[in-house]
Amino acid sequence: MQPLTESQIRSSFANEEAFDLSRMTLPGLHEILWEEREFLGWRDAHAIHRGYIVYWRDGEPVGIVLKAAGARMRPGIAAMCSFCRSPLPGGQVTLFTAPRAGQAGVDGSTIGQYICSDLSCSHLIRLVPPRSEVNPDPQAMVAMRAEGLTHRLRSFTDDVLRAS
């Protein structure tokens, strides 16, 4: 992923009003290993139920504002992130909703996905077992996972941007 500036991030959101974005907290951009990400995802430190995803799409940054569901899964339940397809304990996967872009979002139309609670999908797809007969090329596995993650993120974004 190419690096993003604060200005690019704040102006990239397609499904939220500018007033709300002025209160958004950003992660430490100088600490991010951009080459190891398909998207920048983070939870707002001052608004616990808010999350944000920004990624490059057709040469432009596109951002999606998310809202985490208040309820959590029961302990002992397994879940899977719909972006990175990582199987995780239920407490590490959250139902996020994103308002649709435009008037549909203003009217209350949303799209929901179960996603890693900390939005760390880019890190999880890079956790692969070492080279073996079953897994002869770990880097190829990471590339395949990254391609799938990017495809599913793009599809989710298409749904958010589509007028209902």
Side-chain angles (χ1 to χ4, degrees):
M1 175 175 179
Q2 296 173 341
L4 291 160
T5 65
E6 179 178 346
S7 164
Q8 289 171 317
I9 292 169
R10 289 192 186 277
S11 65
S12 71
F13 291 93
N15 68 332
E16 193 62 45
E17 297 296 319
F19 173 76
D20 291 330
L21 294 175
S22 67
R23 298 183 302 202
M24 171 179 62
T25 59
L26 292 171
L29 299 178
H30 63 282
E31 300 170 352
I32 295 171
L33 300 174
W34 296 101
E35 64 277 359
E36 295 181 9
R37 292 183 176 265
E38 286 63 43
F39 68 89
L40 175 62
W42 75 100
R43 299 285 294 265
D44 196 314
H46 297 284
I48 190 120
H49 291 290
R50 292 196 113 189
Y52 309 95
I53 291 175
V54 182
Y55 72 106
W56 289 96
R57 181 181 170 130
D58 303 326
E60 296 290 326
V62 174
I64 302 294
V65 176
L66 304 167
K67 182 177 181 192
R72 298 188 61 106
M73 290 186 198
R74 282 189 338 233
I77 300 287
M80 182 178 286
C81 172
S82 59
F83 281 178
C84 65
R85 301 255 171 104
S86 296
L88 299 164
Q92 294 178 21
V93 176
T94 299
L95 174 62
F96 284 96
T97 58
R100 287 187 184 268
Q103 188 60 43
V106 172
D107 293 343
S109 181
T110 61
I111 302 291
Q113 286 284 356
Y114 283 94
I115 308 172
C116 292
S117 297
D118 59 2
L119 302 170
S120 65
C121 301
S122 288
H123 299 297
L124 290 177
I125 64 167
R126 287 170 170 74
L127 299 175
V128 295
R131 183 182 310 272
S132 67
E133 287 182 27
V134 175
N135 183 28
D137 188 356
Q139 291 301 60
M141 182 178 282
V142 170
M144 181 182 71
R145 288 178 175 180
E147 184 178 327
L149 170 60
T150 302
H151 173 75
R152 290 182 289 277
L153 176 59
R154 190 183 254 309
S155 179
F156 176 70
T157 305
D158 287 345
D159 286 345
V160 170
L161 297 176
R162 186 178 307 120
S164 58

